Amino acid sequence: MLRIGVVGCGAIGREHIDRITNKLSGGKVVAVSDVFVEGAHKVGDPIGATVYNNSADLVNDPDVDAIICTTPGFAHKETVMQAIEIGKPVFCEKPLTTTAEDSMDIVEAEIAGGKHLIQVGFMRRYDKGYRQVKEMLESGEFGAPLYLKCTHWNPEVGTNYDTPMAVYDTAIHEIDVLHWLVGDEYESAQIMMPRQTKHTHPDLKDPQLMFLKCRSGLIAMVEVFVNCRFGYDINCQIVCEEGVIDLPSPAVPTYRKSGGLTTPIGHDWKKRFIEAYDTEIQEWINSTRKGEMNGPSAWDGFVANLTADALVASQQTGEVVPIDIGVVPEFYKK
Amino acid sequence: MLRIGVVGCGAIGREHIDRITNKLSGGKVVAVSDVFVEGAHKVGDPIGATVYNNSADLVNDPDVDAIICTTPGFAHKETVMQAIEIGKPVFCEKPLTTTAEDSMDIVEAEIAGGKHLIQVGFMRRYDKGYRQVKEMLESGEFGAPLYLKCTHWNPEVGTNYDTPMAVYDTAIHEIDVLHWLVGDEYESAQIMMPRQTKHTHPDLKDPQLMFLKCRSGLIAMVEVFVNCRFGYDINCQIVCEEGVIDLPSPAVPTYRKSGGLTTPIGHDWKKRFIEAYDTEIQEWINSTRKGEMNGPSAWDGFVANLTADALVASQQTGEVVPIDIGVVPEFYKK
Amino acid sequence: MLRIGVVGCGAIGREHIDRITNKLSGGKVVAVSDVFVEGAHKVGDPIGATVYNNSADLVNDPDVDAIICTTPGFAHKETVMQAIEIGKPVFCEKPLTTTAEDSMDIVEAEIAGGKHLIQVGFMRRYDKGYRQVKEMLESGEFGAPLYLKCTHWNPEVGTNYDTPMAVYDTAIHEIDVLHWLVGDEYESAQIMMPRQTKHTHPDLKDPQLMFLKCRSGLIAMVEVFVNCRFGYDINCQIVCEEGVIDLPSPAVPTYRKSGGLTTPIGHDWKKRFIEAYDTEIQEWINSTRKGEMNGPSAWDGFVANLTADALVASQQTGEVVPIDIGVVPEFYKK
Amino acid sequence: MLRIGVVGCGAIGREHIDRITNKLSGGKVVAVSDVFVEGAHKVGDPIGATVYNNSADLVNDPDVDAIICTTPGFAHKETVMQAIEIGKPVFCEKPLTTTAEDSMDIVEAEIAGGKHLIQVGFMRRYDKGYRQVKEMLESGEFGAPLYLKCTHWNPEVGTNYDTPMAVYDTAIHEIDVLHWLVGDEYESAQIMMPRQTKHTHPDLKDPQLMFLKCRSGLIAMVEVFVNCRFGYDINCQIVCEEGVIDLPSPAVPTYRKSGGLTTPIGHDWKKRFIEAYDTEIQEWINSTRKGEMNGPSAWDGFVANLTADALVASQQTGEVVPIDIGVVPEFYKK
Ligand SMILES: [Mg+2]
Ligand SMILES: [Mg+2]
Ligand SMILES: [Mg+2]
Ligand SMILES: [Mg+2]
């Protein structure tokens, strides 16, 4: 049984606690912390967890084997660095940190420590569909991938959602999953702004067409359209030398009614990848218990920061912005 | 140029005249007739056709090479027999006649005349989809067909539409096209009545599940549901030894809107097979000009009568009703 | 934590032990038994379970809260009756027993005991697709279901698979899930044998068309074709007064290759419903811990026996065979 | 009956002669010409057409009401200018001419003549699918189109097919149909070269991602991949403010076989739009007989030249190349 401490008892923290307690196998939440300690008590007391009002004490609790960090992004670095210092594994929600520099600090600390400890919460890699696509790509039957197209269509956003969030909050999932999917590294980023929907607001460019070029020459196009109205619809089509592969949409009943044959499209992004969240945490528990770390690494968190920054830079100018991740450290090579 | 006389200037007659005049090649309507002679003038005068108030005069007009018979079903026999007598080809709308006996009279007259003259207006055989399915079946790649399922779903009918019409007017198309599709002969018929829709009326059983057993053992199931509400939707799935084939639905744009990805289903049966009607008449013109007759024959018209009668008999009892078409005459073997 | 004893350490027993131990939450296998005691040790020892060479001792073990019975069908009754006597919950794999009479004995014993203890392992009710279909039906938006069609297509079977097994081993899943899906009771059964595939053998009729008529008049048609070659393909289409609903197939990547756009169809029946198996056991653990029993009941097990027997009787004659389940006991009404 | 003269008796000329003679209504080929006069005799003699060895004589033949020009592109201008001079309608295969300057000469001559005479052979506008999409766009139910994506996937090309041909011969169809579809004008062009397929050759960049920006801000992306191996596959998805519309693929039977459910994709570009070719010529005959001209105009031919040249310029540099069509002449406004 992996004894887990959860840092940050907000919505996502509570969800992870619930799935570990009621759905998954092999883990137990033994400690929780939150600067807002009453919130921590509310979730920790019913399950008999020790309650802390700060991250450091939880990390140092000898009964805690591993940490899940679900605080706001700006607070991740502190917890992660504490855990590295003491040598405990951390599952850290995305983003790893809010700047490429901070993420690089973590990368360097982890390498210095010599132990793989950090996994970043990019759950798309745990979606069954993406995994099947990756398997098909790796089978060799489709030849090299040449370009690919993704839609990240979302029904609507509030007025607090602005142009950079289309990258940092939305395309960030494609940023992580795509280079993993094709086994390549990004080299440059560019954004084109097509005609804008009337359903957007002054601080938000919507839709946006994002392009990520890889070292192999592969171009990944990501369509972000967050006020598309009709639903939350994630698609990914990969054009290869010998054929084309399409990510499946969720299996739902189709129906004939009122002059049409319809496949429903959900509106809720959380439900779209709900099984992926479960798998992500289950596999983290399993691998952590074995002393392994297989998921998205601190390095992947750093790459995501750098790539997102390049895309945001291009939002202003429309120009091609280079992405220089440098040499992938030996430590992170698979 | 095939000089055509059209007997019967109702809706379907006018449609054939229009397609021959404005869309198809190689035919010209030179004469029209209708007992309601004013109606005949209305369609015949603008295209310079001779107008008759009776079928016999039109059939005997030496300027008429071939006849299209679009009168009500009860009147078909007279025109067709006149044409056989004088040796002129006829395209006769379905049903050939309203009884198996009358159709058999035509069959015998045609055989006696020694010339293939009669084509019955079963247009489904000219639908591109059914033809492609037939080609696939005949390729041998799917092995023997074992059973098949068709839906004949129609949005709604009026209160004048009654239980036998589900066979005589609706399933009649499947009756003809299915034995042609699988190259087999019907042996027995049966109808099951499932739970009835609240949208039907006292004189109509709806839906009905019809079963036609063939000599090979193949069972064809036809679902007739004429108040299905959602659209006119024709499907046909053939289960074979080595695989399953599905008739395509018409190609229409799909769209994402309001929480769904929808393929529209039309409501209008006429539009569903509009290209088939054109092809049917064009090929009839082409083959008639060459002195050939390739379409559904008088024999097929007789088989349709006999089969429909057996199904209607089973509507009352639910019992299996034998269909005895006897030996297919040499004259009609392909 | 629910302390579980597993009776029967064959393939399916080992799978349930694995999922309880490594995937699911809230349960722990504390005892195992098998008449072949070495097999029981092989699976029980590594997880520290007590090992028995008989069912009775395991059932009576005070450390065992609940039992999973995965012995061969003929041995189920003994274990289940022992458990009822001592008042412990049992998850019993299908079939509950091998005869309707034996299942009725269990039903009567459970009623006499006054406590809901028995759940039968019909896992289709836990498939996400069927559940979504049921929800749509119950929404009322589709009106009453009138008839439905299922395919149970399986790529191939060995020569030990014979005609009755098409019901007892294959259609048995549809028998359970369909009456649950439409909330109705079977009244009669019938089987038609269409043309037979050349890929079958003398002891097996294949394919078979099975018909189950319900009290409402609804007809459920189940196509069982166990040598269909192309894959394991479960479909279910429900025709209702206001529309038609289709069970989804699993979500898999589609691909363009070699002149076609293909959606893969698996060959393995176990993988098709793998998530349903997990959900089935997880929900059984959850409800058992709460002292509830929500799944397919002993009564459902009895109904399945009776319905399967009627279908098998019709395999010989082709006749309609009545199914008389009598009055559903108050005890089992939901 | 429209009396038609066909200039150029190559493959495409012969096809148009065949469809006018054997499939369509209202037209008759009365004259043919070819510099290779034996070829002209071969097709003209059997249908009793006058045979010329030059375009001018055919155009001036008083028995010729209208001209179809199917010579190689470089020879179009001469025939078209002759026809304008004498005031006869011309259906000219694409491209109108091989340079924007030559096309502008035709535009100016046609305007000077004051009569709409020239239709260019962009047949996609006659495809039922594109027409349905246009109707849906114009219904207003989808709001403004914001961006769109097309695939022009072709199985393979020979080594004589080079980089500019990806625009001039392939994307040229999208160039014409897209601005018509969305009712907009191109403003700039750009091409990105993604990773290249190993199945291409030194003189051909393949695939290519082409971008056309319109005055409204709409971006049209055209993926040209002419060695995609799997088939000829034309797709077009239009992302609008209120939903997304997809061009349908042709209706073909789907089949289950060998572990998959497959929709065949043809390999032959000619068959893909065969009905569109028929409709194109039929509607040209119909409108010409009424003294109208509704199809793609000389101006559209000019716009296609200019747009194609801009795309080809970007093939070298990857830069955005402006497209300056100037003010659309009143004469060509719809
Ligand atoms: Mg995550
Ligand atoms: Mg007809
Ligand atoms: Mg089970
Ligand atoms: Mg053309």
Side-chain angles (χ1 to χ4, degrees):
Chain A
M1 189 66 65
L2 185 72
R3 297 174 303 170
I4 299 166
V6 175
V7 179
C9 293
I12 176 90
R14 290 195 301 270
E15 278 168 30
H16 285 325
I17 291 168
D18 176 63
R19 62 171 49 93
I20 291 164
T21 308
N22 297 315
K23 291 178 75 177
L24 307 180
S25 177
K28 188 176 161 59
V29 176
V30 299
V32 299
S33 79
D34 204 300
V35 290
F36 172 60
V37 77
E38 283 182 51
H41 273 291
K42 217 160 159 181
V43 302
D45 293 350
I47 57 170
T50 311
V51 175
Y52 296 98
N53 68 356
N54 69 89
S55 159
D57 288 352
L58 181 145
V59 170
N60 290 320
D61 181 338
D63 284 343
V64 168
D65 301 323
I67 293 117
I68 288 182
C69 178
T70 52
T71 47
F74 68 83
H76 289 174
K77 188 180 181 181
E78 190 189 346
T79 300
V80 171
M81 292 298 259
Q82 290 162 348
I84 290 175
E85 200 158 320
I86 200 173
K88 289 190 181 174
V90 184
F91 175 89
C92 179
E93 268 307 330
K94 65 139 188 108
L96 176 56
T97 73
T98 53
T99 69
E101 292 69 29
D102 282 345
S103 291
M104 182 47 85
D105 289 347
I106 290 174
V107 160
E108 288 171 351
E110 192 181 30
I111 294 177
K115 243 174 84 183
H116 287 277
L117 294 173
I118 312 303
Q119 176 168 332
V120 183
F122 290 120
M123 86 292 183
R124 290 256 185 115
R125 300 192 189 194
Y126 297 89
D127 174 68
K128 202 175 168 184
Y130 279 110
R131 287 181 159 197
Q132 288 170 310
V133 170
K134 188 167 170 64
E135 210 174 289
M136 288 166 79
L137 284 171
E138 290 175 353
S139 74
E141 283 179 45
F142 290 85
L146 306 177
Y147 65 94
L148 62 85
K149 296 160 292 173
C150 303
T151 72
H152 195 133
W153 288 333
N154 181 79
E156 54 180 334
V157 293
T159 50
N160 62 325
Y161 183 106
D162 63 13
T163 296
M165 289 173 75
V167 172
Y168 290 131
D169 283 47
T170 299
I172 197 72
H173 288 289
E174 276 80 13
I175 288 173
D176 180 67
V177 83
L178 295 179
H179 77 97
W180 165 80
L181 198 63
V182 298
D184 207 337
E185 305 293 344
Y186 301 130
E187 218 172 57
S188 67
Q190 185 178 11
I191 290 191
M192 291 186 194
M193 300 296 181
R195 184 170 182 180
Q196 299 290 292
T197 178
K198 70 176 181 203
H199 298 298
T200 192
H201 61 87
D203 295 334
L204 174 60
K205 297 276 190 191
D206 188 40
Q208 305 183 20
L209 304 178
M210 307 183 179
F211 300 85
L212 291 166
K213 191 154 194 171
C214 289
R215 288 185 179 162
S216 70
L218 180 144
I219 293 176
M221 166 172 159
V222 181
E223 306 165 30
V224 172
F225 186 12
V226 294
N227 286 295
C228 80
R229 321 296 282 183
F230 61 87
Y232 184 76
D233 195 2
I234 301 298
N235 296 280
C236 180
Q237 182 177 61
I238 299 152
V239 180
C240 304
E241 279 171 326
E242 312 291 347
V244 173
I245 304 172
D246 271 274
L247 180 75
S249 285
V252 287
T254 56
Y255 61 88
R256 282 162 167 86
K257 208 167 199 292
S258 317
L261 170 60
T262 297
T263 307
I265 299 173
H267 268 64
D268 187 345
W269 60 268
K270 202 172 286 175
K271 283 191 190 159
R272 170 65 179 86
F273 289 106
I274 192 72
E275 282 101 355
Y277 282 106
D278 288 347
T279 307
E280 176 188 47
I281 301 299
Q282 183 67 67
E283 296 198 5
W284 176 73
I285 291 171
N286 295 352
S287 60
T288 303
R289 289 174 73 186
K290 287 188 257 174
E292 298 167 5
M293 188 61 58
N294 303 315
S297 67
W299 176 257
D300 292 315
F302 162 74
V303 165
N305 287 130
L306 214 62
T307 306
D309 290 345
L311 281 167
V312 168
S314 186
Q315 283 178 328
Q316 306 301 321
T317 63
E319 297 299 309
V320 176
V321 177
I323 300 167
D324 184 8
I325 65 162
V327 179
V328 181
E330 270 311 313
F331 186 80
Y332 291 107
K333 284 198 179 139
K334 302 256 157 92
Chain B
M1 189 66 66
L2 185 72
R3 296 173 304 169
I4 299 166
V6 175
V7 179
C9 294
I12 176 91
R14 290 196 300 271
E15 278 168 27
H16 285 326
I17 291 168
D18 176 61
R19 61 170 52 92
I20 291 165
T21 308
N22 296 314
K23 290 177 76 176
L24 307 181
S25 176
K28 187 174 162 60
V29 177
V30 297
V32 299
S33 80
D34 203 299
V35 292
F36 173 58
V37 76
E38 282 181 51
H41 273 292
K42 218 160 160 182
V43 302
D45 293 349
I47 58 169
T50 310
V51 174
Y52 295 100
N53 67 357
N54 70 90
S55 160
D57 288 352
L58 181 144
V59 170
N60 289 321
D61 181 338
D63 285 344
V64 168
D65 300 325
I67 293 116
I68 290 182
C69 178
T70 52
T71 47
F74 69 82
H76 289 174
K77 188 181 181 182
E78 190 189 345
T79 301
V80 170
M81 291 300 258
Q82 288 162 348
I84 291 175
E85 200 158 320
I86 198 172
K88 289 189 182 175
V90 184
F91 176 90
C92 178
E93 267 306 330
K94 63 142 188 107
L96 176 55
T97 74
T98 53
T99 69
E101 292 70 28
D102 282 344
S103 290
M104 182 46 86
D105 290 346
I106 290 174
V107 160
E108 288 170 352
E110 192 181 29
I111 295 177
K115 243 171 84 182
H116 288 276
L117 294 173
I118 312 303
Q119 176 168 333
V120 184
F122 289 120
M123 86 292 181
R124 290 255 184 114
R125 299 192 188 194
Y126 297 88
D127 174 67
K128 202 175 167 184
Y130 279 109
R131 288 180 159 197
Q132 287 171 310
V133 170
K134 188 166 171 64
E135 208 174 292
M136 288 166 78
L137 284 170
E138 290 175 351
S139 75
E141 282 179 44
F142 290 85
L146 306 176
Y147 65 95
L148 61 85
K149 297 160 294 172
C150 302
T151 73
H152 195 134
W153 288 334
N154 180 79
E156 55 179 334
V157 293
T159 49
N160 62 326
Y161 184 106
D162 64 13
T163 297
M165 290 173 75
V167 173
Y168 290 130
D169 283 46
T170 299
I172 196 71
H173 289 290
E174 275 80 12
I175 289 174
D176 179 68
V177 83
L178 295 178
H179 77 97
W180 165 81
L181 198 63
V182 297
D184 208 336
E185 305 293 344
Y186 301 130
E187 218 172 57
S188 67
Q190 186 178 11
I191 291 192
M192 291 185 194
M193 300 295 180
R195 183 170 183 182
Q196 300 289 292
T197 178
K198 70 176 182 205
H199 297 299
T200 191
H201 61 87
D203 296 334
L204 175 61
K205 297 275 189 192
D206 188 41
Q208 305 183 20
L209 304 179
M210 308 184 180
F211 299 86
L212 292 167
K213 191 154 193 170
C214 290
R215 290 186 177 161
S216 70
L218 179 144
I219 292 176
M221 166 173 160
V222 181
E223 307 165 28
V224 173
F225 186 11
V226 294
N227 286 295
C228 79
R229 320 298 283 184
F230 61 87
Y232 184 76
D233 195 3
I234 301 299
N235 295 280
C236 181
Q237 182 176 63
I238 299 153
V239 180
C240 304
E241 279 170 326
E242 312 292 347
V244 173
I245 305 172
D246 271 273
L247 180 75
S249 285
V252 287
T254 56
Y255 61 87
R256 282 163 166 85
K257 207 167 199 296
S258 317
L261 170 59
T262 297
T263 307
I265 299 173
H267 269 62
D268 187 346
W269 60 269
K270 201 171 288 175
K271 283 191 191 159
R272 171 64 179 85
F273 289 106
I274 192 73
E275 281 101 354
Y277 282 106
D278 289 346
T279 306
E280 176 188 46
I281 300 298
Q282 183 68 66
E283 295 198 5
W284 176 72
I285 291 171
N286 295 352
S287 61
T288 302
R289 289 174 72 187
K290 286 189 257 174
E292 298 167 3
M293 188 62 58
N294 302 315
S297 67
W299 177 257
D300 292 315
F302 162 75
V303 166
N305 286 130
L306 214 62
T307 306
D309 290 345
L311 282 167
V312 169
S314 185
Q315 283 178 327
Q316 307 301 320
T317 63
E319 296 300 307
V320 175
V321 177
I323 300 168
D324 184 8
I325 65 161
V327 180
V328 181
E330 271 310 312
F331 186 79
Y332 291 107
K333 283 196 179 141
K334 302 257 159 90
Chain C
M1 188 67 65
L2 186 73
R3 297 172 304 170
I4 299 167
V6 175
V7 178
C9 294
I12 176 90
R14 291 196 301 272
E15 278 168 29
H16 284 326
I17 292 168
D18 177 62
R19 60 171 53 93
I20 291 164
T21 309
N22 297 314
K23 290 178 75 176
L24 306 181
S25 176
K28 187 176 161 61
V29 176
V30 298
V32 299
S33 79
D34 203 299
V35 291
F36 173 60
V37 76
E38 283 182 51
H41 273 292
K42 219 162 159 182
V43 303
D45 292 350
I47 57 168
T50 311
V51 174
Y52 296 99
N53 68 356
N54 70 91
S55 159
D57 288 351
L58 181 143
V59 171
N60 290 319
D61 181 338
D63 284 343
V64 167
D65 301 323
I67 294 116
I68 289 181
C69 178
T70 53
T71 47
F74 67 84
H76 289 175
K77 188 181 180 182
E78 190 190 345
T79 301
V80 170
M81 291 300 258
Q82 289 162 349
I84 290 175
E85 200 158 320
I86 198 172
K88 288 189 182 176
V90 185
F91 176 90
C92 179
E93 266 307 328
K94 64 143 190 108
L96 176 56
T97 74
T98 53
T99 69
E101 292 69 28
D102 282 345
S103 290
M104 183 46 86
D105 291 346
I106 290 175
V107 161
E108 288 169 352
E110 192 181 29
I111 293 178
K115 244 173 84 183
H116 288 276
L117 293 173
I118 312 305
Q119 176 167 333
V120 184
F122 289 119
M123 85 293 183
R124 290 258 185 113
R125 300 193 189 192
Y126 297 89
D127 174 67
K128 202 175 167 184
Y130 279 110
R131 288 181 159 197
Q132 288 170 310
V133 170
K134 189 167 170 63
E135 207 174 294
M136 289 165 77
L137 284 171
E138 291 175 351
S139 75
E141 284 179 43
F142 290 86
L146 306 177
Y147 64 95
L148 60 85
K149 298 161 291 175
C150 302
T151 73
H152 195 135
W153 288 333
N154 181 79
E156 54 181 334
V157 293
T159 50
N160 61 328
Y161 183 107
D162 63 13
T163 297
M165 290 173 75
V167 172
Y168 290 130
D169 284 47
T170 299
I172 197 71
H173 289 290
E174 276 81 13
I175 288 173
D176 180 67
V177 83
L178 294 179
H179 76 96
W180 166 80
L181 198 62
V182 298
D184 208 337
E185 304 293 345
Y186 302 130
E187 215 173 58
S188 68
Q190 187 179 9
I191 291 192
M192 292 186 195
M193 300 296 182
R195 184 171 182 179
Q196 299 290 292
T197 177
K198 71 176 182 204
H199 298 299
T200 191
H201 62 85
D203 296 333
L204 175 60
K205 297 276 190 192
D206 190 40
Q208 306 182 20
L209 304 179
M210 307 182 180
F211 299 85
L212 291 167
K213 190 153 193 171
C214 290
R215 289 185 178 163
S216 70
L218 180 144
I219 293 176
M221 166 172 159
V222 181
E223 307 165 29
V224 173
F225 186 12
V226 295
N227 287 295
C228 80
R229 320 296 282 181
F230 62 85
Y232 184 75
D233 195 3
I234 301 299
N235 296 282
C236 181
Q237 183 176 62
I238 298 152
V239 180
C240 304
E241 281 171 325
E242 314 290 346
V244 173
I245 305 172
D246 272 273
L247 181 76
S249 285
V252 287
T254 56
Y255 61 87
R256 283 162 166 86
K257 207 167 199 294
S258 317
L261 170 59
T262 297
T263 307
I265 298 172
H267 269 63
D268 187 344
W269 60 268
K270 201 172 287 175
K271 283 190 189 159
R272 171 65 179 86
F273 289 107
I274 192 71
E275 282 101 355
Y277 283 106
D278 290 347
T279 306
E280 177 189 46
I281 300 300
Q282 183 66 66
E283 295 198 4
W284 175 74
I285 292 171
N286 295 351
S287 60
T288 302
R289 289 174 73 188
K290 286 188 260 176
E292 297 168 5
M293 188 62 58
N294 303 312
S297 68
W299 177 258
D300 292 314
F302 162 73
V303 166
N305 287 130
L306 213 62
T307 305
D309 290 345
L311 282 167
V312 169
S314 185
Q315 283 178 327
Q316 306 301 321
T317 63
E319 296 300 308
V320 176
V321 177
I323 300 168
D324 184 9
I325 65 163
V327 178
V328 182
E330 271 310 312
F331 186 80
Y332 292 107
K333 283 196 180 141
K334 303 257 159 88
Chain D
M1 188 66 67
L2 186 72
R3 297 172 304 167
I4 300 167
V6 174
V7 178
C9 294
I12 175 92
R14 290 197 300 271
E15 278 169 27
H16 284 325
I17 291 169
D18 176 61
R19 61 170 53 92
I20 291 165
T21 308
N22 297 315
K23 290 178 76 177
L24 307 181
S25 176
K28 186 176 162 60
V29 176
V30 298
V32 299
S33 79
D34 203 300
V35 291
F36 172 60
V37 75
E38 283 182 51
H41 273 291
K42 218 161 162 181
V43 302
D45 293 350
I47 57 167
T50 310
V51 173
Y52 296 100
N53 69 357
N54 70 90
S55 158
D57 288 353
L58 182 145
V59 171
N60 290 319
D61 181 337
D63 285 343
V64 168
D65 299 325
I67 294 117
I68 289 182
C69 178
T70 53
T71 47
F74 68 83
H76 289 175
K77 187 180 180 182
E78 190 190 345
T79 300
V80 170
M81 291 301 257
Q82 288 162 348
I84 290 176
E85 200 159 320
I86 199 172
K88 290 190 182 174
V90 185
F91 176 90
C92 179
E93 267 307 330
K94 64 142 192 110
L96 176 57
T97 74
T98 53
T99 68
E101 291 70 28
D102 281 345
S103 291
M104 183 46 87
D105 290 346
I106 290 175
V107 161
E108 288 170 351
E110 193 182 28
I111 294 177
K115 247 172 82 184
H116 288 277
L117 295 173
I118 312 304
Q119 177 168 333
V120 183
F122 289 119
M123 85 293 182
R124 291 257 184 112
R125 299 192 188 192
Y126 297 89
D127 174 67
K128 202 175 166 183
Y130 279 110
R131 286 181 160 197
Q132 288 171 310
V133 171
K134 188 166 171 64
E135 208 174 292
M136 288 165 78
L137 285 171
E138 290 175 352
S139 74
E141 283 179 43
F142 290 85
L146 305 177
Y147 64 95
L148 61 86
K149 298 161 290 174
C150 302
T151 74
H152 195 135
W153 288 334
N154 181 80
E156 55 181 333
V157 293
T159 50
N160 61 327
Y161 183 107
D162 63 12
T163 297
M165 289 173 75
V167 172
Y168 290 130
D169 283 46
T170 298
I172 196 72
H173 289 291
E174 276 81 12
I175 288 173
D176 180 67
V177 83
L178 295 179
H179 75 96
W180 165 81
L181 199 62
V182 297
D184 208 337
E185 305 293 342
Y186 301 130
E187 216 173 59
S188 67
Q190 186 179 10
I191 291 191
M192 292 187 193
M193 300 296 181
R195 185 170 182 180
Q196 300 288 293
T197 178
K198 71 176 181 203
H199 297 299
T200 191
H201 62 86
D203 296 334
L204 174 62
K205 296 277 191 191
D206 188 42
Q208 305 183 19
L209 304 178
M210 306 183 181
F211 299 85
L212 291 166
K213 190 154 193 172
C214 290
R215 288 186 177 161
S216 70
L218 180 145
I219 293 177
M221 165 171 160
V222 181
E223 306 167 28
V224 172
F225 186 11
V226 294
N227 286 294
C228 79
R229 320 297 282 182
F230 61 85
Y232 184 76
D233 196 2
I234 301 299
N235 295 281
C236 181
Q237 183 177 62
I238 299 152
V239 180
C240 304
E241 279 171 326
E242 312 291 347
V244 173
I245 304 171
D246 271 274
L247 181 75
S249 285
V252 288
T254 55
Y255 61 87
R256 283 163 166 84
K257 207 166 199 296
S258 315
L261 170 59
T262 298
T263 307
I265 300 172
H267 269 63
D268 187 343
W269 59 269
K270 202 172 287 176
K271 283 191 190 158
R272 170 66 179 86
F273 289 106
I274 192 71
E275 282 101 355
Y277 282 107
D278 289 347
T279 306
E280 176 188 45
I281 301 299
Q282 183 66 66
E283 295 198 5
W284 177 72
I285 291 172
N286 294 352
S287 60
T288 303
R289 288 174 75 188
K290 287 189 256 176
E292 298 167 4
M293 188 62 58
N294 303 313
S297 67
W299 176 257
D300 292 315
F302 162 75
V303 165
N305 287 129
L306 213 63
T307 305
D309 290 346
L311 282 167
V312 169
S314 185
Q315 284 178 326
Q316 306 302 319
T317 62
E319 297 299 309
V320 176
V321 177
I323 300 168
D324 184 8
I325 64 162
V327 179
V328 181
E330 271 310 313
F331 186 79
Y332 290 107
K333 284 196 179 141
K334 302 256 159 91

